[in-house]
Amino acid sequence: LDLAKDLGGAWIRIDLNWIFLAPLITWSLAQGYFPEYYLGLADATYWWMGAFGTLGLFGSIVFHEWAHALVAKYYDLRIKSITLLIFGGVAQMDEEPPSPRVESLTAIAGPISSFALSAACYLVFAAGYRLHLPIVPLGVIGYLAFVNSLLGGFNLIPAFPLDGGRVLRAALWHWTQDLNRATRCASRAGSLFGLALILSGIFHIITGDFIVGIWWFILGLFLRTAAGTSYYQVVARTTLGA
């Protein structure tokens, strides 16, 4: 699905799995997260908090990708489109970054933006708590502080195509002077990490922690698929450009 909106020169595309993920995220928040931290509220209130929390997560991912797009635009690196996934986005570029340095700076902009947004949400939450503002909007803001720190931290993991994996690829690229080889190694790290998440998810489901387990499982599947797809895109571009 394409959004009629431009993001630093790149069109935003929403992965179709969001149709299923959005209700699942809302359910997880309404039945798991918010009732655990904010006791005694009505069931309908938890569902409203879950819905707004889901919208906030989506907006946070867009903000994260916007930071990537701004840095890429600064270095004249054209990103054709960004497909939004649950852990962030996967960029489709007409060409690869011109150097490992540009790759690293473009990649690290996303986690930095997420940590900055997390800090801003936490400051708003702390100020609202001191002023005794309504707990429902404060709860959603507190969740956004948490989820943005999680989004930034998760993306720093050195597993391609996560941002940390792109930094790893840049380091390998600088060391080997071979983009395809660097991408292959970083993609394998991403694939292995995805497999570890899948196995961890199965373990949590078996032991009764269903919500955590299902999310680890889903993230693992997404990451393994994205790692393989991203690698073949790089190989295709570099081969055609040779």
Side-chain angles (χ1 to χ4, degrees):
L1 296 178
D2 286 349
L3 284 182
K5 183 177 180 181
D6 191 69
L7 187 67
W11 286 94
I12 307 173
R13 293 184 174 181
I14 306 174
D15 189 89
L16 284 175
N17 286 291
W18 268 96
I19 296 174
F20 308 101
L21 289 173
L24 183 58
I25 295 169
T26 302
W27 171 78
S28 299
L29 293 175
Q31 297 298 306
Y33 181 87
F34 288 121
E36 180 177 350
Y37 289 98
Y38 303 97
L39 303 176
L41 300 178
D43 286 344
T45 301
Y46 289 131
W47 281 103
W48 278 112
M49 294 174 75
F52 280 104
T54 301
L55 289 174
L57 171 60
F58 182 82
S60 297
I61 293 173
V62 172
F63 183 77
H64 179 106
E65 296 305 321
W66 174 72
H68 287 308
L70 280 183
V71 176
K73 187 176 182 180
Y74 177 81
Y75 286 104
D76 296 321
L77 180 62
R78 185 174 181 272
I79 299 178
K80 184 164 56 176
S81 65
I82 297 174
T83 302
L84 298 181
L85 304 174
I86 185 61
F87 54 77
V90 174
Q92 292 183 336
M93 297 181 287
D94 290 331
E95 58 184 357
E96 291 303 314
S99 69
R101 179 176 178 271
V102 173
E103 168 87 341
S104 296
L105 292 175
T106 303
I108 204 66
I112 290 175
S113 69
S114 292
F115 289 134
L117 186 56
S118 174
C121 289
Y122 177 77
L123 290 175
V124 172
F125 174 83
Y129 187 82
R130 288 179 178 272
L131 294 172
H132 303 289
L133 296 182
I135 195 63
V136 172
L138 281 183
V140 175
I141 293 172
Y143 161 73
L144 292 179
F146 163 74
V147 79
N148 274 283
S149 65
L150 185 65
L151 182 63
F154 183 78
N155 271 279
L156 284 177
I157 295 171
F160 193 80
L162 298 179
D163 299 330
R166 292 190 175 277
V167 173
L168 172 63
R169 181 177 77 155
L172 293 171
W173 181 11
H174 177 75
W175 180 49
T176 64
Q177 298 298 306
D178 187 334
L179 177 59
N180 282 353
R181 182 180 175 186
T183 304
R184 183 170 62 251
C185 294
S187 295
R188 285 176 178 171
S191 184
L192 288 173
F193 182 65
L195 178 60
L197 288 178
I198 291 172
L199 295 176
S200 176
I202 293 173
F203 173 79
H204 279 87
I205 291 172
I206 292 174
T207 56
D209 197 352
F210 181 78
I211 292 179
V212 172
I214 196 66
W215 279 115
W216 282 144
F217 188 86
I218 290 172
L219 284 171
L221 286 177
F222 269 81
L223 189 54
R224 279 181 63 85
T225 302
T229 301
S230 298
Y231 172 63
Y232 287 116
Q233 286 176 349
V234 171
V235 171
R237 277 195 298 269
T238 54
T239 300
L240 292 174

PDB file of all heavy atoms in Angstrom, residues 143-179:
ATOM      1  N   TYR A 143       3.975   4.739  27.323  1.00  0.00           N
ATOM      2  CA  TYR A 143       4.222   3.606  26.432  1.00  0.00           C
ATOM      3  C   TYR A 143       5.083   4.022  25.252  1.00  0.00           C
ATOM      4  O   TYR A 143       6.005   3.294  24.852  1.00  0.00           O
ATOM      5  CB  TYR A 143       2.894   3.027  25.934  1.00  0.00           C
ATOM      6  CG  TYR A 143       3.035   2.179  24.704  1.00  0.00           C
ATOM      7  CD1 TYR A 143       3.606   0.906  24.762  1.00  0.00           C
ATOM      8  CD2 TYR A 143       2.623   2.660  23.449  1.00  0.00           C
ATOM      9  CE1 TYR A 143       3.750   0.132  23.621  1.00  0.00           C
ATOM     10  CE2 TYR A 143       2.769   1.890  22.306  1.00  0.00           C
ATOM     11  CZ  TYR A 143       3.335   0.637  22.398  1.00  0.00           C
ATOM     12  OH  TYR A 143       3.492  -0.121  21.269  1.00  0.00           O
ATOM     13  N   LEU A 144       4.822   5.205  24.679  1.00  0.00           N
ATOM     14  CA  LEU A 144       5.607   5.675  23.542  1.00  0.00           C
ATOM     15  C   LEU A 144       7.052   5.945  23.940  1.00  0.00           C
ATOM     16  O   LEU A 144       7.971   5.740  23.140  1.00  0.00           O
ATOM     17  CB  LEU A 144       4.967   6.931  22.943  1.00  0.00           C
ATOM     18  CG  LEU A 144       3.610   6.713  22.267  1.00  0.00           C
ATOM     19  CD1 LEU A 144       3.057   8.032  21.742  1.00  0.00           C
ATOM     20  CD2 LEU A 144       3.731   5.692  21.143  1.00  0.00           C
ATOM     21  N   ALA A 145       7.261   6.398  25.181  1.00  0.00           N
ATOM     22  CA  ALA A 145       8.635   6.568  25.676  1.00  0.00           C
ATOM     23  C   ALA A 145       9.341   5.217  25.700  1.00  0.00           C
ATOM     24  O   ALA A 145      10.496   5.087  25.267  1.00  0.00           O
ATOM     25  CB  ALA A 145       8.629   7.201  27.057  1.00  0.00           C
ATOM     26  N   PHE A 146       8.630   4.203  26.184  1.00  0.00           N
ATOM     27  CA  PHE A 146       9.211   2.860  26.262  1.00  0.00           C
ATOM     28  C   PHE A 146       9.434   2.263  24.882  1.00  0.00           C
ATOM     29  O   PHE A 146      10.520   1.746  24.583  1.00  0.00           O
ATOM     30  CB  PHE A 146       8.291   1.954  27.087  1.00  0.00           C
ATOM     31  CG  PHE A 146       8.566   0.484  26.908  1.00  0.00           C
ATOM     32  CD1 PHE A 146       9.693  -0.095  27.480  1.00  0.00           C
ATOM     33  CD2 PHE A 146       7.712  -0.316  26.160  1.00  0.00           C
ATOM     34  CE1 PHE A 146       9.955  -1.454  27.308  1.00  0.00           C
ATOM     35  CE2 PHE A 146       7.964  -1.667  25.988  1.00  0.00           C
ATOM     36  CZ  PHE A 146       9.097  -2.230  26.563  1.00  0.00           C
ATOM     37  N   VAL A 147       8.431   2.338  24.015  1.00  0.00           N
ATOM     38  CA  VAL A 147       8.518   1.638  22.729  1.00  0.00           C
ATOM     39  C   VAL A 147       9.553   2.285  21.815  1.00  0.00           C
ATOM     40  O   VAL A 147      10.199   1.602  21.014  1.00  0.00           O
ATOM     41  CB  VAL A 147       7.130   1.558  22.052  1.00  0.00           C
ATOM     42  CG1 VAL A 147       6.761   2.868  21.364  1.00  0.00           C
ATOM     43  CG2 VAL A 147       7.088   0.406  21.050  1.00  0.00           C
ATOM     44  N   ASN A 148       9.761   3.611  21.936  1.00  0.00           N
ATOM     45  CA  ASN A 148      10.784   4.247  21.120  1.00  0.00           C
ATOM     46  C   ASN A 148      12.184   3.888  21.583  1.00  0.00           C
ATOM     47  O   ASN A 148      13.095   3.746  20.753  1.00  0.00           O
ATOM     48  CB  ASN A 148      10.592   5.768  21.108  1.00  0.00           C
ATOM     49  CG  ASN A 148       9.613   6.209  20.049  1.00  0.00           C
ATOM     50  OD1 ASN A 148       9.926   6.258  18.867  1.00  0.00           O
ATOM     51  ND2 ASN A 148       8.380   6.514  20.475  1.00  0.00           N
ATOM     52  N   SER A 149      12.366   3.735  22.883  1.00  0.00           N
ATOM     53  CA  SER A 149      13.667   3.266  23.359  1.00  0.00           C
ATOM     54  C   SER A 149      13.899   1.829  22.892  1.00  0.00           C
ATOM     55  O   SER A 149      15.016   1.458  22.513  1.00  0.00           O
ATOM     56  CB  SER A 149      13.757   3.363  24.886  1.00  0.00           C
ATOM     57  OG  SER A 149      12.827   2.486  25.508  1.00  0.00           O
ATOM     58  N   LEU A 150      12.830   1.015  22.884  1.00  0.00           N
ATOM     59  CA  LEU A 150      12.931  -0.359  22.395  1.00  0.00           C
ATOM     60  C   LEU A 150      13.219  -0.382  20.898  1.00  0.00           C
ATOM     61  O   LEU A 150      14.060  -1.169  20.424  1.00  0.00           O
ATOM     62  CB  LEU A 150      11.636  -1.107  22.703  1.00  0.00           C
ATOM     63  CG  LEU A 150      11.599  -2.599  22.369  1.00  0.00           C
ATOM     64  CD1 LEU A 150      12.600  -3.355  23.232  1.00  0.00           C
ATOM     65  CD2 LEU A 150      10.195  -3.153  22.598  1.00  0.00           C
ATOM     66  N   LEU A 151      12.553   0.484  20.151  1.00  0.00           N
ATOM     67  CA  LEU A 151      12.751   0.560  18.704  1.00  0.00           C
ATOM     68  C   LEU A 151      14.190   0.964  18.375  1.00  0.00           C
ATOM     69  O   LEU A 151      14.831   0.375  17.498  1.00  0.00           O
ATOM     70  CB  LEU A 151      11.761   1.566  18.098  1.00  0.00           C
ATOM     71  CG  LEU A 151      11.784   1.745  16.582  1.00  0.00           C
ATOM     72  CD1 LEU A 151      11.396   0.461  15.883  1.00  0.00           C
ATOM     73  CD2 LEU A 151      10.835   2.881  16.176  1.00  0.00           C
ATOM     74  N   GLY A 152      14.704   1.962  19.119  1.00  0.00           N
ATOM     75  CA  GLY A 152      16.079   2.384  18.888  1.00  0.00           C
ATOM     76  C   GLY A 152      17.075   1.307  19.255  1.00  0.00           C
ATOM     77  O   GLY A 152      18.015   1.028  18.504  1.00  0.00           O
ATOM     78  N   GLY A 153      16.873   0.667  20.407  1.00  0.00           N
ATOM     79  CA  GLY A 153      17.789  -0.371  20.852  1.00  0.00           C
ATOM     80  C   GLY A 153      17.761  -1.599  19.961  1.00  0.00           C
ATOM     81  O   GLY A 153      18.810  -2.165  19.631  1.00  0.00           O
ATOM     82  N   PHE A 154      16.561  -2.020  19.564  1.00  0.00           N
ATOM     83  CA  PHE A 154      16.439  -3.201  18.698  1.00  0.00           C
ATOM     84  C   PHE A 154      17.141  -2.976  17.367  1.00  0.00           C
ATOM     85  O   PHE A 154      17.810  -3.873  16.837  1.00  0.00           O
ATOM     86  CB  PHE A 154      14.958  -3.521  18.480  1.00  0.00           C
ATOM     87  CG  PHE A 154      14.708  -4.762  17.671  1.00  0.00           C
ATOM     88  CD1 PHE A 154      14.833  -6.015  18.248  1.00  0.00           C
ATOM     89  CD2 PHE A 154      14.349  -4.680  16.334  1.00  0.00           C
ATOM     90  CE1 PHE A 154      14.608  -7.175  17.502  1.00  0.00           C
ATOM     91  CE2 PHE A 154      14.121  -5.821  15.587  1.00  0.00           C
ATOM     92  CZ  PHE A 154      14.253  -7.074  16.173  1.00  0.00           C
ATOM     93  N   ASN A 155      17.009  -1.773  16.825  1.00  0.00           N
ATOM     94  CA  ASN A 155      17.616  -1.489  15.536  1.00  0.00           C
ATOM     95  C   ASN A 155      19.132  -1.365  15.601  1.00  0.00           C
ATOM     96  O   ASN A 155      19.791  -1.357  14.557  1.00  0.00           O
ATOM     97  CB  ASN A 155      17.010  -0.220  14.929  1.00  0.00           C
ATOM     98  CG  ASN A 155      15.794  -0.513  14.080  1.00  0.00           C
ATOM     99  OD1 ASN A 155      15.899  -0.895  12.927  1.00  0.00           O
ATOM    100  ND2 ASN A 155      14.612  -0.358  14.678  1.00  0.00           N
ATOM    101  N   LEU A 156      19.692  -1.245  16.792  1.00  0.00           N
ATOM    102  CA  LEU A 156      21.152  -1.198  16.923  1.00  0.00           C
ATOM    103  C   LEU A 156      21.788  -2.590  16.890  1.00  0.00           C
ATOM    104  O   LEU A 156      23.011  -2.707  16.793  1.00  0.00           O
ATOM    105  CB  LEU A 156      21.544  -0.487  18.221  1.00  0.00           C
ATOM    106  CG  LEU A 156      21.423   1.036  18.221  1.00  0.00           C
ATOM    107  CD1 LEU A 156      21.773   1.601  19.592  1.00  0.00           C
ATOM    108  CD2 LEU A 156      22.318   1.655  17.148  1.00  0.00           C
ATOM    109  N   ILE A 157      20.968  -3.630  16.965  1.00  0.00           N
ATOM    110  CA  ILE A 157      21.512  -4.999  16.908  1.00  0.00           C
ATOM    111  C   ILE A 157      22.186  -5.207  15.552  1.00  0.00           C
ATOM    112  O   ILE A 157      21.611  -4.875  14.508  1.00  0.00           O
ATOM    113  CB  ILE A 157      20.387  -6.030  17.123  1.00  0.00           C
ATOM    114  CG1 ILE A 157      19.817  -5.892  18.537  1.00  0.00           C
ATOM    115  CG2 ILE A 157      20.899  -7.451  16.900  1.00  0.00           C
ATOM    116  CD1 ILE A 157      18.565  -6.713  18.774  1.00  0.00           C
ATOM    117  N   PRO A 158      23.413  -5.721  15.534  1.00  0.00           N
ATOM    118  CA  PRO A 158      24.152  -5.875  14.271  1.00  0.00           C
ATOM    119  C   PRO A 158      23.641  -7.026  13.413  1.00  0.00           C
ATOM    120  O   PRO A 158      24.309  -8.043  13.228  1.00  0.00           O
ATOM    121  CB  PRO A 158      25.600  -6.112  14.741  1.00  0.00           C
ATOM    122  CG  PRO A 158      25.450  -6.749  16.086  1.00  0.00           C
ATOM    123  CD  PRO A 158      24.237  -6.101  16.702  1.00  0.00           C
ATOM    124  N   ALA A 159      22.424  -6.875  12.925  1.00  0.00           N
ATOM    125  CA  ALA A 159      21.783  -7.904  12.104  1.00  0.00           C
ATOM    126  C   ALA A 159      21.100  -7.214  10.927  1.00  0.00           C
ATOM    127  O   ALA A 159      20.092  -6.538  11.106  1.00  0.00           O
ATOM    128  CB  ALA A 159      20.772  -8.697  12.936  1.00  0.00           C
ATOM    129  N   PHE A 160      21.655  -7.351   9.748  1.00  0.00           N
ATOM    130  CA  PHE A 160      21.125  -6.725   8.537  1.00  0.00           C
ATOM    131  C   PHE A 160      19.736  -7.287   8.207  1.00  0.00           C
ATOM    132  O   PHE A 160      19.527  -8.498   8.348  1.00  0.00           O
ATOM    133  CB  PHE A 160      22.092  -7.033   7.387  1.00  0.00           C
ATOM    134  CG  PHE A 160      21.879  -6.231   6.140  1.00  0.00           C
ATOM    135  CD1 PHE A 160      22.352  -4.945   6.037  1.00  0.00           C
ATOM    136  CD2 PHE A 160      21.204  -6.782   5.071  1.00  0.00           C
ATOM    137  CE1 PHE A 160      22.163  -4.207   4.882  1.00  0.00           C
ATOM    138  CE2 PHE A 160      21.005  -6.055   3.901  1.00  0.00           C
ATOM    139  CZ  PHE A 160      21.489  -4.762   3.819  1.00  0.00           C
ATOM    140  N   PRO A 161      18.733  -6.448   7.834  1.00  0.00           N
ATOM    141  CA  PRO A 161      18.845  -5.047   7.463  1.00  0.00           C
ATOM    142  C   PRO A 161      18.528  -4.053   8.580  1.00  0.00           C
ATOM    143  O   PRO A 161      18.155  -2.914   8.284  1.00  0.00           O
ATOM    144  CB  PRO A 161      17.831  -4.923   6.334  1.00  0.00           C
ATOM    145  CG  PRO A 161      16.715  -5.844   6.774  1.00  0.00           C
ATOM    146  CD  PRO A 161      17.399  -7.000   7.459  1.00  0.00           C
ATOM    147  N   LEU A 162      18.596  -4.465   9.842  1.00  0.00           N
ATOM    148  CA  LEU A 162      18.466  -3.503  10.928  1.00  0.00           C
ATOM    149  C   LEU A 162      19.578  -2.466  10.823  1.00  0.00           C
ATOM    150  O   LEU A 162      20.609  -2.701  10.179  1.00  0.00           O
ATOM    151  CB  LEU A 162      18.542  -4.211  12.284  1.00  0.00           C
ATOM    152  CG  LEU A 162      17.450  -5.241  12.596  1.00  0.00           C
ATOM    153  CD1 LEU A 162      17.691  -5.848  13.968  1.00  0.00           C
ATOM    154  CD2 LEU A 162      16.065  -4.619  12.517  1.00  0.00           C
ATOM    155  N   ASP A 163      19.388  -1.329  11.457  1.00  0.00           N
ATOM    156  CA  ASP A 163      20.370  -0.252  11.352  1.00  0.00           C
ATOM    157  C   ASP A 163      21.738  -0.686  11.864  1.00  0.00           C
ATOM    158  O   ASP A 163      22.771  -0.337  11.273  1.00  0.00           O
ATOM    159  CB  ASP A 163      19.882   0.979  12.124  1.00  0.00           C
ATOM    160  CG  ASP A 163      18.564   1.504  11.573  1.00  0.00           C
ATOM    161  OD1 ASP A 163      18.325   1.344  10.356  1.00  0.00           O
ATOM    162  OD2 ASP A 163      17.778   2.054  12.353  1.00  0.00           O
ATOM    163  N   GLY A 164      21.756  -1.442  12.944  1.00  0.00           N
ATOM    164  CA  GLY A 164      23.022  -1.961  13.440  1.00  0.00           C
ATOM    165  C   GLY A 164      23.680  -2.887  12.439  1.00  0.00           C
ATOM    166  O   GLY A 164      24.909  -2.935  12.326  1.00  0.00           O
ATOM    167  N   GLY A 165      22.868  -3.630  11.688  1.00  0.00           N
ATOM    168  CA  GLY A 165      23.392  -4.491  10.640  1.00  0.00           C
ATOM    169  C   GLY A 165      23.978  -3.687   9.496  1.00  0.00           C
ATOM    170  O   GLY A 165      24.957  -4.106   8.855  1.00  0.00           O
ATOM    171  N   ARG A 166      23.407  -2.527   9.232  1.00  0.00           N
ATOM    172  CA  ARG A 166      23.959  -1.659   8.188  1.00  0.00           C
ATOM    173  C   ARG A 166      25.286  -1.048   8.637  1.00  0.00           C
ATOM    174  O   ARG A 166      26.200  -0.859   7.820  1.00  0.00           O
ATOM    175  CB  ARG A 166      22.946  -0.568   7.824  1.00  0.00           C
ATOM    176  CG  ARG A 166      21.712  -1.129   7.133  1.00  0.00           C
ATOM    177  CD  ARG A 166      20.815  -0.058   6.557  1.00  0.00           C
ATOM    178  NE  ARG A 166      19.716  -0.656   5.811  1.00  0.00           N
ATOM    179  CZ  ARG A 166      19.779  -1.066   4.549  1.00  0.00           C
ATOM    180  NH1 ARG A 166      20.919  -0.925   3.890  1.00  0.00           N
ATOM    181  NH2 ARG A 166      18.745  -1.602   3.951  1.00  0.00           N
ATOM    182  N   VAL A 167      25.388  -0.734   9.915  1.00  0.00           N
ATOM    183  CA  VAL A 167      26.670  -0.256  10.438  1.00  0.00           C
ATOM    184  C   VAL A 167      27.711  -1.375  10.348  1.00  0.00           C
ATOM    185  O   VAL A 167      28.874  -1.144   9.985  1.00  0.00           O
ATOM    186  CB  VAL A 167      26.522   0.236  11.887  1.00  0.00           C
ATOM    187  CG1 VAL A 167      27.887   0.586  12.490  1.00  0.00           C
ATOM    188  CG2 VAL A 167      25.601   1.462  11.951  1.00  0.00           C
ATOM    189  N   LEU A 168      27.289  -2.603  10.674  1.00  0.00           N
ATOM    190  CA  LEU A 168      28.184  -3.756  10.538  1.00  0.00           C
ATOM    191  C   LEU A 168      28.607  -3.924   9.086  1.00  0.00           C
ATOM    192  O   LEU A 168      29.797  -4.165   8.795  1.00  0.00           O
ATOM    193  CB  LEU A 168      27.477  -5.020  11.027  1.00  0.00           C
ATOM    194  CG  LEU A 168      28.202  -6.351  10.787  1.00  0.00           C
ATOM    195  CD1 LEU A 168      29.525  -6.383  11.547  1.00  0.00           C
ATOM    196  CD2 LEU A 168      27.313  -7.530  11.187  1.00  0.00           C
ATOM    197  N   ARG A 169      27.663  -3.805   8.150  1.00  0.00           N
ATOM    198  CA  ARG A 169      27.996  -3.926   6.736  1.00  0.00           C
ATOM    199  C   ARG A 169      28.994  -2.847   6.324  1.00  0.00           C
ATOM    200  O   ARG A 169      29.933  -3.120   5.565  1.00  0.00           O
ATOM    201  CB  ARG A 169      26.739  -3.831   5.864  1.00  0.00           C
ATOM    202  CG  ARG A 169      27.053  -3.988   4.385  1.00  0.00           C
ATOM    203  CD  ARG A 169      25.820  -3.980   3.516  1.00  0.00           C
ATOM    204  NE  ARG A 169      25.283  -2.646   3.311  1.00  0.00           N
ATOM    205  CZ  ARG A 169      24.536  -2.310   2.256  1.00  0.00           C
ATOM    206  NH1 ARG A 169      24.244  -3.214   1.336  1.00  0.00           N
ATOM    207  NH2 ARG A 169      24.058  -1.094   2.130  1.00  0.00           N
ATOM    208  N   ALA A 170      28.799  -1.620   6.827  1.00  0.00           N
ATOM    209  CA  ALA A 170      29.720  -0.539   6.494  1.00  0.00           C
ATOM    210  C   ALA A 170      31.129  -0.846   6.983  1.00  0.00           C
ATOM    211  O   ALA A 170      32.119  -0.599   6.284  1.00  0.00           O
ATOM    212  CB  ALA A 170      29.216   0.775   7.092  1.00  0.00           C
ATOM    213  N   ALA A 171      31.224  -1.400   8.199  1.00  0.00           N
ATOM    214  CA  ALA A 171      32.535  -1.751   8.743  1.00  0.00           C
ATOM    215  C   ALA A 171      33.189  -2.853   7.922  1.00  0.00           C
ATOM    216  O   ALA A 171      34.392  -2.791   7.609  1.00  0.00           O
ATOM    217  CB  ALA A 171      32.395  -2.181  10.197  1.00  0.00           C
ATOM    218  N   LEU A 172      32.409  -3.870   7.548  1.00  0.00           N
ATOM    219  CA  LEU A 172      32.943  -4.963   6.727  1.00  0.00           C
ATOM    220  C   LEU A 172      33.312  -4.476   5.328  1.00  0.00           C
ATOM    221  O   LEU A 172      34.316  -4.913   4.745  1.00  0.00           O
ATOM    222  CB  LEU A 172      31.916  -6.092   6.633  1.00  0.00           C
ATOM    223  CG  LEU A 172      31.614  -6.845   7.932  1.00  0.00           C
ATOM    224  CD1 LEU A 172      30.424  -7.775   7.738  1.00  0.00           C
ATOM    225  CD2 LEU A 172      32.831  -7.631   8.398  1.00  0.00           C
ATOM    226  N   TRP A 173      32.513  -3.576   4.812  1.00  0.00           N
ATOM    227  CA  TRP A 173      32.776  -2.988   3.499  1.00  0.00           C
ATOM    228  C   TRP A 173      34.100  -2.221   3.520  1.00  0.00           C
ATOM    229  O   TRP A 173      34.930  -2.333   2.613  1.00  0.00           O
ATOM    230  CB  TRP A 173      31.608  -2.093   3.126  1.00  0.00           C
ATOM    231  CG  TRP A 173      31.677  -1.413   1.799  1.00  0.00           C
ATOM    232  CD1 TRP A 173      32.561  -1.655   0.788  1.00  0.00           C
ATOM    233  CD2 TRP A 173      30.807  -0.378   1.344  1.00  0.00           C
ATOM    234  NE1 TRP A 173      32.292  -0.825  -0.276  1.00  0.00           N
ATOM    235  CE2 TRP A 173      31.228  -0.037   0.030  1.00  0.00           C
ATOM    236  CE3 TRP A 173      29.712   0.290   1.901  1.00  0.00           C
ATOM    237  CZ2 TRP A 173      30.592   0.959  -0.717  1.00  0.00           C
ATOM    238  CZ3 TRP A 173      29.075   1.262   1.160  1.00  0.00           C
ATOM    239  CH2 TRP A 173      29.509   1.582  -0.134  1.00  0.00           C
ATOM    240  N   HIS A 174      34.283  -1.427   4.578  1.00  0.00           N
ATOM    241  CA  HIS A 174      35.538  -0.673   4.722  1.00  0.00           C
ATOM    242  C   HIS A 174      36.732  -1.613   4.836  1.00  0.00           C
ATOM    243  O   HIS A 174      37.814  -1.344   4.289  1.00  0.00           O
ATOM    244  CB  HIS A 174      35.446   0.221   5.960  1.00  0.00           C
ATOM    245  CG  HIS A 174      36.703   0.978   6.253  1.00  0.00           C
ATOM    246  ND1 HIS A 174      37.107   2.080   5.521  1.00  0.00           N
ATOM    247  CD2 HIS A 174      37.670   0.790   7.204  1.00  0.00           C
ATOM    248  CE1 HIS A 174      38.252   2.532   5.995  1.00  0.00           C
ATOM    249  NE2 HIS A 174      38.618   1.773   7.011  1.00  0.00           N
ATOM    250  N   TRP A 175      36.531  -2.735   5.512  1.00  0.00           N
ATOM    251  CA  TRP A 175      37.622  -3.670   5.758  1.00  0.00           C
ATOM    252  C   TRP A 175      37.951  -4.513   4.526  1.00  0.00           C
ATOM    253  O   TRP A 175      39.113  -4.717   4.171  1.00  0.00           O
ATOM    254  CB  TRP A 175      37.259  -4.574   6.945  1.00  0.00           C
ATOM    255  CG  TRP A 175      38.309  -5.586   7.300  1.00  0.00           C
ATOM    256  CD1 TRP A 175      39.642  -5.345   7.479  1.00  0.00           C
ATOM    257  CD2 TRP A 175      38.094  -6.984   7.511  1.00  0.00           C
ATOM    258  NE1 TRP A 175      40.290  -6.520   7.803  1.00  0.00           N
ATOM    259  CE2 TRP A 175      39.366  -7.542   7.828  1.00  0.00           C
ATOM    260  CE3 TRP A 175      36.984  -7.801   7.485  1.00  0.00           C
ATOM    261  CZ2 TRP A 175      39.533  -8.893   8.098  1.00  0.00           C
ATOM    262  CZ3 TRP A 175      37.153  -9.151   7.760  1.00  0.00           C
ATOM    263  CH2 TRP A 175      38.408  -9.684   8.067  1.00  0.00           C
ATOM    264  N   THR A 176      36.897  -5.000   3.836  1.00  0.00           N
ATOM    265  CA  THR A 176      37.117  -5.909   2.701  1.00  0.00           C
ATOM    266  C   THR A 176      37.155  -5.199   1.351  1.00  0.00           C
ATOM    267  O   THR A 176      37.625  -5.780   0.370  1.00  0.00           O
ATOM    268  CB  THR A 176      36.004  -6.964   2.648  1.00  0.00           C
ATOM    269  OG1 THR A 176      34.744  -6.319   2.391  1.00  0.00           O
ATOM    270  CG2 THR A 176      35.930  -7.744   3.953  1.00  0.00           C
ATOM    271  N   GLN A 177      36.618  -3.969   1.294  1.00  0.00           N
ATOM    272  CA  GLN A 177      36.481  -3.240   0.028  1.00  0.00           C
ATOM    273  C   GLN A 177      35.611  -4.008  -0.973  1.00  0.00           C
ATOM    274  O   GLN A 177      35.777  -3.883  -2.177  1.00  0.00           O
ATOM    275  CB  GLN A 177      37.859  -2.952  -0.582  1.00  0.00           C
ATOM    276  CG  GLN A 177      38.746  -2.073   0.270  1.00  0.00           C
ATOM    277  CD  GLN A 177      38.146  -0.695   0.496  1.00  0.00           C
ATOM    278  OE1 GLN A 177      37.794   0.009  -0.450  1.00  0.00           O
ATOM    279  NE2 GLN A 177      38.026  -0.294   1.768  1.00  0.00           N
ATOM    280  N   ASP A 178      34.672  -4.794  -0.427  1.00  0.00           N
ATOM    281  CA  ASP A 178      33.787  -5.606  -1.264  1.00  0.00           C
ATOM    282  C   ASP A 178      32.370  -5.500  -0.711  1.00  0.00           C
ATOM    283  O   ASP A 178      32.052  -6.107   0.315  1.00  0.00           O
ATOM    284  CB  ASP A 178      34.259  -7.055  -1.281  1.00  0.00           C
ATOM    285  CG  ASP A 178      33.477  -7.930  -2.263  1.00  0.00           C
ATOM    286  OD1 ASP A 178      32.311  -7.603  -2.556  1.00  0.00           O
ATOM    287  OD2 ASP A 178      34.029  -8.951  -2.719  1.00  0.00           O
ATOM    288  N   LEU A 179      31.518  -4.723  -1.380  1.00  0.00           N
ATOM    289  CA  LEU A 179      30.162  -4.484  -0.880  1.00  0.00           C
ATOM    290  C   LEU A 179      29.339  -5.756  -0.850  1.00  0.00           C
ATOM    291  O   LEU A 179      28.600  -6.015   0.112  1.00  0.00           O
ATOM    292  CB  LEU A 179      29.471  -3.421  -1.737  1.00  0.00           C
ATOM    293  CG  LEU A 179      28.018  -3.103  -1.376  1.00  0.00           C
ATOM    294  CD1 LEU A 179      27.910  -2.614   0.061  1.00  0.00           C
ATOM    295  CD2 LEU A 179      27.437  -2.081  -2.344  1.00  0.00           C
TER     296      LEU A 179
END
